[in-house]
Structure formats: C-alpha cells, structure tokens
Amino acid sequence: MPVRPAVSEAELEAHLRGICFKTGPPRRLGVEIEWLVHDARNPRCPVEPARLQSAATALRALPLTSLLTFEPGGQLELSSQPAISLAECIETVSADLALVRPAMLAMGLGLAGHGHNPWHPPRRVLTDPRYNAMEAYFDRWGSAGRSMMCATASVQVCVDAGHEEPGPLGYGRRWLLAHLLGAVLAAAFANSPISESCPTGYRTTRQVIWSQLDPARTLAPPTGPDPRTAWARYVLDAPVMCIRSEDGRWDAPEGLTFREWVRTGVPRPPTREDLDYHVTTLFPPVRPRGHLELRMIDAQSGDAGWIVPLAVTAALFDDPEATERAYRIVKPLAETAGSRPAPRNPLWRHAARAGLTDPELRTAATACFSAAQEALPRLGASPEVRAAVAAFTERYVARGRCPADDHLDALYAAEGDPLVGKESQ
C-alpha cells in the first residue's frame, strides 16, 4: 500500500524517464516462463482450485532460485534472477525445473507449454483484489481479457536496454529492433492455434487475444526519436486499472488516466508507489522496466522448449555482430508494419495468422536464425543449446513452419482431413 507522500506530475515524469531505460553494456539476461497446469493423466480435465492451492504451497517450500508465482487461471510462472550470461540463465532455471517438475508429478499434475489453453475455456482460480479489478476492467472490451488472464502462457525474454549512445547496442536502436523483430519471433514460435479443441484460424491465438484488449495499455507506445518521452507519456495517459485500498476493493473510476489522477487527486492523491504499480498493469508487446521485456513469444512444448527462444533472442540482442545483422534484416519490415502500433499493425497480424507461411516473415526468420546460430558460440552457448537451436531451425524455420503447424497437423489427422500438411509443402 502507498507509504510515500503524493508527488507532482513533473516528478513522476522524471521518475519514469529515469527508470524505463537503464543504459549500460548489455550484460544481464532473464527469462519468465509460464506453463498451463493440467492433470497428469488427463490434460483435458480441469484442475480444481484446491489441488492448485496445495501445489502452490508445496512448490513454495522448494529451494528455488527463480521467483515462483501463479497466474489467475492457475498457470505456473518461473521468473529467473538476472543472469550474467546465457549459460548461467539456462543453468539456474533448468535446476529449478528439475525440482518443480517431479514435485508436480508427485501431486498428479503436469506442465504443458501452449500459448493458449487448447482444451477448455478460461476459468479464474485466483481471487486476489488485483485480479478481481483486472477482470472487471477488461470485461469492458469483451471476453478477450478473461482468456488473456486465465488461458494464455508465454516465454518472456528480458534483455538489457543497451548503451546510451547510438549504434547497434544503443537503447534507441534496440527499442526499434524489438518491435520489428518481435513480429518475427511471434511467428517463428507461434504455438497456440487451438481453443476448446477447435482451430482458431491463427497460429498464435494468444497474440490475437492481446490485440483485442484495451489499446491504451496493450499496444506499443508511439514511435519517435525519444523512447523515454514516449514511454512516460504512454504510462501517464493510460487509464488506471485499479486503486489499491485497505478495504479489499480496488476499483478505479472508469476512464481515469493516471495523469488525470495526479491532477485531480481524486479519489485520493496518488504516490510514486501507485505509479510503479500502475506500470505493472500495462502490457505492451515490449515493456521497458529498466531492461526490455519481450512479451510476444508463446509458451513452448517440451521440457526444454523454452531454451530455444531464450537463446535466439539473447543472441540477436547481446552479440553486437548479430544485433547489427538482425537490425538490417528486419528494418524493411517497417514498411509492412506501417504507422499503426504493434500488435495491431499488418506485420503483427500476418505473424499471428500465418506464422512463417508468410513469405516476408519466413525470409526474415531464416536470416535472423542464421545470425543467431553464428553468434551463439561467441556467447558461450553449450553444444546442447546450439544443437537445440539448429534442430528447431531445421524442423520449422527452414520449412516455413512453426510449432502451431504440428498441432494443426495432428488435429486434422485425427479428423481424417486429406489436406493435412499440404499448406507447408
């Protein structure tokens, strides 16, 4: 709850500008991994809240390095500590998973890597005031908010903001790179084509859901020469989702922006802590929180499926040669993107619907994955990590496919569809 006195609009703008892009040589890397929790014997059977609560209690007793949390629909999330290298990040998270997975299995539960729950509709199991307020807020835009909260999962990669000065590792260049490369990553790792056992018409349904939410808090900030100013304006002009209080109700006046809250002081003057909390309720595809948080990658199947998007993203952001190559590769995509912000512009819509069957995205992904593979040895990636990236590249990227295509093939094969696999041939 707020503990500091209210502050002025100018002070809050300065605070945002000071914390959104913390510059310096890229040295830190992090990952946040979400999974859908399911019954180990029958994934189609929803897990009752009491079982999830028991699991949460047991898992929080484990000696984990990563932060363990649960999302509103019961999705499990591990958030790594900032690591000084790709190898350290993978090692520490893998060690935590080696504790979490058997503990879950002992309770009859499993973890599934899907960007969107393919089996059943969203159902909220957490009733915290934050999630009560969030659900009520997003309900104004339809059902997409409940799907986002309760039925989606992702691999979020966190990279340093970059240098202060211009250049391949400068924060301005990395900000632009993230919004163009983000569409390529969304397409390459698309893994959510099914909802309630039916195809949705998209390779990444999760990304479509995000595009249907409140645009003032889920679209990218306007582009411009000064990302810090753009982000500060974006934050202050976003509607307030909730105002924390001691009575358990975190309601906020409909349409109240944070800037208006500061100026009016109604229903109470906001504090810097209120602003920091407000930032956690904003969900653009790339969120600057000192570092850059890339939020567009679907959760991946397999015990180690999360490692490939982490390794590819790290290589393209933290190796200077690969970063420069990636920027040159994706810069022409700005023409397709146009002036509309991600993820509602044509580039991101193509990524969501077509994945790598889109020729432009396939060409960009092929070149970017090649640059990443060349960079991984320079970043000290292990032979196992390099092999995993190479296998993913050969299985999907080189063939203009993504993991979603495997799920669609299996679904259509089960239904006896004679056109299975034709689209990718």
Side-chain angles (χ1 to χ4, degrees), residues 210-235:
W210 279 108
S211 72
Q212 295 172 343
L213 300 174
D214 170 18
R217 67 184 345 101
T218 59
L219 299 188
T223 57
D226 185 358
R228 287 191 175 105
T229 297
W231 177 248
R233 289 174 179 169
Y234 177 92
V235 172

Side-chain angles (χ1 to χ4, degrees), residues 9 48 58 74 93 126 132 142 150 170 182 246 263 266-267 274 351 387 402 419:
E9 186 175 339
E48 293 303 314
V93 176
L126 298 186
N132 292 339
C150 305
E246 298 288 354
R263 291 176 176 177
V266 176
D274 287 317
C402 59
L419 298 180

Side-chain angles (χ1 to χ4, degrees), residues 90-349:
I90 292 173
E91 181 181 354
T92 56
V93 176
S94 296
D96 287 340
L97 281 170
L99 298 175
V100 168
R101 288 188 182 277
M104 291 286 284
L105 191 59
M107 293 179 281
L109 298 173
L111 301 176
H114 298 276
H116 185 272
N117 194 316
W119 303 299
H120 22 77
R123 182 187 62 157
R124 187 157 64 95
V125 299
L126 298 186
T127 56
D128 299 1
R130 172 186 172 96
Y131 298 130
N132 292 339
M134 183 181 291
E135 182 179 277
Y137 181 92
F138 280 127
D139 277 351
R140 300 169 191 166
W141 281 266
S143 61
R146 297 191 181 207
S147 292
M148 177 276 289
M149 292 172 62
C150 305
T152 62
S154 67
V155 177
Q156 298 177 19
V157 181
C158 301
V159 297
D160 277 340
H163 292 283
E164 189 70 27
E165 65 270 13
L169 298 181
Y171 78 93
R173 175 79 71 85
R174 287 163 77 82
W175 180 244
L176 178 59
L177 172 64
H179 286 89
L180 294 174
L181 179 61
V184 178
L185 297 174
F189 295 108
N191 190 38
S192 53
I194 299 169
S195 176
E196 298 182 52
S197 301
C198 295
T200 64
Y202 295 90
R203 259 66 175 194
T204 167
T205 301
R206 173 182 167 274
Q207 195 59 59
V208 175
I209 288 170
W210 279 108
S211 72
Q212 295 172 343
L213 300 174
D214 170 18
R217 67 184 345 101
T218 59
L219 299 188
T223 57
D226 185 358
R228 287 191 175 105
T229 297
W231 177 248
R233 289 174 179 169
Y234 177 92
V235 172
L236 292 177
D237 290 334
V240 177
M241 176 178 287
C242 56
I243 296 177
R244 296 171 294 168
S245 66
E246 298 288 354
D247 65 7
R249 292 184 60 84
W250 290 14
D251 299 333
E254 185 171 351
L256 176 71
T257 68
F258 203 95
R259 193 184 301 277
E260 291 168 342
W261 187 15
V262 174
R263 291 176 176 177
T264 64
V266 176
R268 62 166 173 80
T271 67
R272 183 175 294 180
E273 282 75 15
D274 287 317
L275 179 67
D276 292 339
Y277 192 85
H278 173 64
V279 170
T280 72
T281 71
L282 305 178
F283 308 108
V286 183
R287 186 164 61 178
R289 304 190 67 183
H291 55 272
L292 301 183
E293 183 181 82
L294 280 70
R295 305 173 52 84
M296 71 290 298
I297 301 171
D298 280 357
Q300 300 294 294
S301 303
D303 289 355
W306 58 276
I307 292 177
V308 174
L310 171 63
V312 170
T313 306
L316 296 178
F317 274 89
D318 290 350
D319 179 82
E321 182 179 337
T323 300
E324 182 61 28
R325 283 181 59 186
Y327 181 76
R328 292 198 304 267
I329 291 164
V330 302
K331 189 176 181 180
L333 299 180
E335 184 175 347
T336 299
S339 59
R340 299 189 69 183
R344 289 192 180 180
N345 65 45
L347 177 67
W348 283 68
R349 290 187 181 277

